[in-house]
Tab-separated table of all heavy atoms in Angstrom:
chain	number	residue	atom	x	y	z
A	568	VAL	N	31.612	25.193	-0.429
A	568	VAL	CA	31.425	24.381	-1.701
A	568	VAL	C	30.146	24.132	-2.108
A	568	VAL	O	29.279	23.619	-1.286
A	568	VAL	CB	32.221	23.092	-1.562
A	568	VAL	CG1	32.061	22.346	-2.953
A	568	VAL	CG2	33.730	23.358	-1.197
A	569	ASP	N	29.692	24.604	-3.178
A	569	ASP	CA	28.309	24.383	-3.618
A	569	ASP	C	28.087	23.016	-3.977
A	569	ASP	O	28.934	22.227	-4.598
A	569	ASP	CB	28.109	25.323	-4.949
A	569	ASP	CG	26.561	25.366	-5.322
A	569	ASP	OD1	26.076	24.497	-6.056
A	569	ASP	OD2	25.835	26.284	-4.893
A	570	GLU	N	26.823	22.560	-3.791
A	570	GLU	CA	26.585	21.130	-4.156
A	570	GLU	C	26.848	20.757	-5.520
A	570	GLU	O	27.076	19.592	-5.820
A	570	GLU	CB	25.132	20.673	-3.664
A	570	GLU	CG	24.805	19.270	-3.804
A	570	GLU	CD	23.433	19.005	-3.224
A	570	GLU	OE1	22.788	19.850	-2.495
A	570	GLU	OE2	22.957	17.823	-3.351
A	571	ASP	N	26.547	21.647	-6.438
A	571	ASP	CA	26.728	21.463	-7.889
A	571	ASP	C	28.178	21.068	-8.155
A	571	ASP	O	28.550	20.528	-9.271
A	571	ASP	CB	26.285	22.628	-8.620
A	571	ASP	CG	24.837	22.889	-8.642
A	571	ASP	OD1	24.090	21.950	-8.387
A	571	ASP	OD2	24.411	23.979	-8.874
A	572	ASP	N	29.086	21.495	-7.266
A	572	ASP	CA	30.585	21.236	-7.552
A	572	ASP	C	31.045	19.962	-6.918
A	572	ASP	O	32.216	19.589	-6.995
A	572	ASP	CB	31.336	22.433	-6.969
A	572	ASP	CG	31.073	23.710	-7.762
A	572	ASP	OD1	30.854	23.654	-8.988
A	572	ASP	OD2	31.038	24.795	-7.100
A	573	TYR	N	30.122	19.254	-6.231
A	573	TYR	CA	30.503	17.977	-5.695
A	573	TYR	C	31.104	17.042	-6.623
A	573	TYR	O	32.004	16.158	-6.319
A	573	TYR	CB	29.317	17.318	-4.791
A	573	TYR	CG	28.986	17.934	-3.528
A	573	TYR	CD1	27.829	17.491	-2.792
A	573	TYR	CD2	29.642	19.041	-3.040
A	573	TYR	CE1	27.415	18.097	-1.644
A	573	TYR	CE2	29.197	19.714	-1.852
A	573	TYR	CZ	28.130	19.266	-1.241
A	573	TYR	OH	27.777	19.890	0.042
A	574	GLU	N	30.430	17.041	-7.758
A	574	GLU	CA	30.805	16.096	-8.827
A	574	GLU	C	32.245	15.994	-9.172
A	574	GLU	O	32.796	14.945	-9.454
A	574	GLU	CB	29.948	16.302	-10.090
A	574	GLU	CG	29.950	15.177	-11.082
A	574	GLU	CD	29.432	13.861	-10.425
A	574	GLU	OE1	28.476	13.846	-9.792
A	574	GLU	OE2	30.077	12.712	-10.711
A	575	LYS	N	32.903	17.179	-9.109
A	575	LYS	CA	34.371	17.297	-9.410
A	575	LYS	C	35.086	16.493	-8.401
A	575	LYS	O	35.997	15.769	-8.705
A	575	LYS	CB	34.664	18.714	-9.494
A	575	LYS	CG	34.122	19.488	-10.667
A	575	LYS	CD	34.524	20.991	-10.689
A	575	LYS	CE	33.840	21.821	-11.697
A	575	LYS	NZ	34.321	23.291	-11.671
A	576	LEU	N	34.620	16.683	-7.197
A	576	LEU	CA	35.383	15.974	-6.110
A	576	LEU	C	35.113	14.447	-6.186
A	576	LEU	O	36.024	13.659	-5.944
A	576	LEU	CB	34.853	16.482	-4.660
A	576	LEU	CG	35.241	17.963	-4.291
A	576	LEU	CD1	34.542	18.505	-3.085
A	576	LEU	CD2	36.787	17.966	-4.054
A	577	PHE	N	33.878	14.205	-6.460
A	577	PHE	CA	33.585	12.695	-6.596
A	577	PHE	C	34.532	12.100	-7.668
A	577	PHE	O	35.090	10.960	-7.594
A	577	PHE	CB	32.064	12.417	-6.901
A	577	PHE	CG	31.250	12.459	-5.733
A	577	PHE	CD1	30.186	13.382	-5.666
A	577	PHE	CD2	31.219	11.498	-4.719
A	577	PHE	CE1	29.343	13.456	-4.453
A	577	PHE	CE2	30.437	11.566	-3.589
A	577	PHE	CZ	29.393	12.557	-3.535
A	578	SER	N	34.450	12.824	-8.821
A	578	SER	CA	35.226	12.283	-9.895
A	578	SER	C	36.752	12.071	-9.627
A	578	SER	O	37.278	10.958	-10.026
A	578	SER	CB	35.086	13.210	-11.066
A	578	SER	OG	35.702	12.743	-12.293
A	579	TYR	N	37.339	12.958	-9.018
A	579	TYR	CA	38.730	12.813	-8.692
A	579	TYR	C	38.970	11.710	-7.522
A	579	TYR	O	39.772	10.746	-7.724
A	579	TYR	CB	39.355	14.169	-8.044
A	579	TYR	CG	40.764	13.991	-7.593
A	579	TYR	CD1	41.870	13.922	-8.576
A	579	TYR	CD2	40.931	13.892	-6.291
A	579	TYR	CE1	43.057	13.630	-8.137
A	579	TYR	CE2	42.362	13.636	-5.840
A	579	TYR	CZ	43.376	13.537	-6.692
A	579	TYR	OH	44.640	13.305	-6.317
Side-chain angles (χ1 to χ4, degrees):
V568 179
D569 190 276
E570 186 173 350
D571 292 339
D572 294 324
Y573 288 177
E574 192 61 43
K575 296 177 183 178
L576 290 170
F577 279 118
S578 180
Y579 174 76

